Amino acid sequence: RRGKVVSQAEVTDAPIVAVGSGLPDKSTGYVFDTDDEFQGWAREIGMEEVASRLDEATEKGREQESRADLAWLEAWHKKKTERIINDLNELAQLYDLPVNSPKLFRKVTIEADPLIGSVFDPYILFDSNGCGGSWRPLTGPMPRFGWIGFNNRASSVNGLGGGILFSQYWFKAKKAYLFNIGNQLGDCLDLADINFSNVASSAILI
């Protein structure tokens, strides 16, 4: 399974999948049975630092589940998400670009106006294939997609840098490592390609 083309059923069964333009073959999904197997592969392809940072952030995130201010955090994430949605809609009008445009995505993140700055952590989830339909920007580590009305709704994703989608709240269960989905071309990943459509419930970003 490791580093090989596998059947869709095998991808469904795999607890760990990795995909993205930052990998040796951006058209291939890589599946793993264990975290050790994934980390060994990450070392082999020179992605050990990114993978380790993601896993470290995951562990720190899981430790926060019992904190007492979760209601405040939920309200804060909702408010921040709403602000970013409003900002993106305003900038889409300014630049005369569709809000789901890969060009807009880059203009509000890594190619942002120096006097405006990056609008958000560069990952957006969409509820339709091809990065269409309703959408939510991710505002950093998100332990519960239900907080932003997007639990089990993501069908596609655009993003830059490293991230992990999880199939349960609080960064647990099956996970999909994402490495530079956006790259230079502003690619969009349909999550059905890795059998993660309408599955994601939490996320870690770095």
Side-chain angles (χ1 to χ4, degrees):
R1 294 157 61 108
R2 181 175 150 200
K4 297 191 302 184
V5 176
V6 297
S7 70
Q8 195 173 43
E10 286 181 286
V11 175
T12 303
D13 182 57
I16 303 169
V17 60
V19 67
S21 57
L23 301 182
D25 183 352
K26 69 177 184 178
S27 64
T28 298
Y30 300 82
V31 296
F32 309 89
D33 292 312
T34 67
D35 288 320
D36 286 345
E37 189 177 278
F38 168 76
Q39 289 293 345
W41 170 81
R43 285 192 295 272
E44 290 176 7
I45 66 166
M47 298 292 286
E48 180 180 13
E49 181 181 356
V50 175
S52 295
R53 287 174 59 201
L54 284 167
D55 287 346
E56 181 179 347
T58 298
E59 289 305 312
K60 289 182 178 179
R62 288 171 178 165
E63 293 170 358
Q64 306 303 309
E65 186 174 3
S66 60
R67 56 190 288 171
D69 61 346
L70 293 182
W72 181 88
L73 281 171
E74 177 179 1
W76 184 84
H77 275 290
K78 286 180 178 178
K79 186 183 300 184
K80 187 176 181 183
T81 300
E82 290 170 1
R83 176 185 62 77
I84 293 171
I85 289 172
N86 290 335
D87 288 347
L88 283 174
N89 283 323
E90 184 174 345
L91 290 171
Q93 292 182 3
L94 174 67
Y95 296 127
D96 193 25
L97 292 168
V99 74
N100 65 338
S101 160
K103 188 174 182 179
L104 178 66
F105 177 85
R106 298 184 69 80
K107 286 180 74 69
V108 300
T109 56
I110 61 173
E111 295 176 2
D113 184 308
L115 296 184
I116 296 176
S118 179
V119 176
F120 68 107
D121 289 320
Y123 267 90
I124 303 182
L125 304 174
F126 299 84
D127 70 358
S128 298
N129 289 340
C131 289
S134 297
W135 52 276
R136 296 289 189 281
L138 292 179
T139 57
M142 180 63 68
R144 298 176 66 97
F145 282 1
W147 286 357
I148 56 172
F150 228 66
N151 190 48
N152 296 336
R153 286 182 58 186
S155 292
S156 56
V157 59
N158 194 0
L160 294 163
I164 313 175
L165 298 179
F166 299 85
S167 63
Q168 292 183 10
Y169 285 159
W170 288 103
F171 323 117
K172 297 175 182 177
K174 182 179 177 181
K175 50 189 174 180
Y177 285 84
L178 309 176
F179 296 97
N180 281 328
I181 299 302
N183 78 358
Q184 295 298 320
L185 303 176
D187 289 341
C188 175
L189 172 67
D190 286 340
L191 292 171
D193 292 345
I194 56 172
N195 280 297
F196 226 82
S197 184
N198 301 322
V199 168
S201 293
S202 58
I204 285 288
L205 307 177
I206 60 169

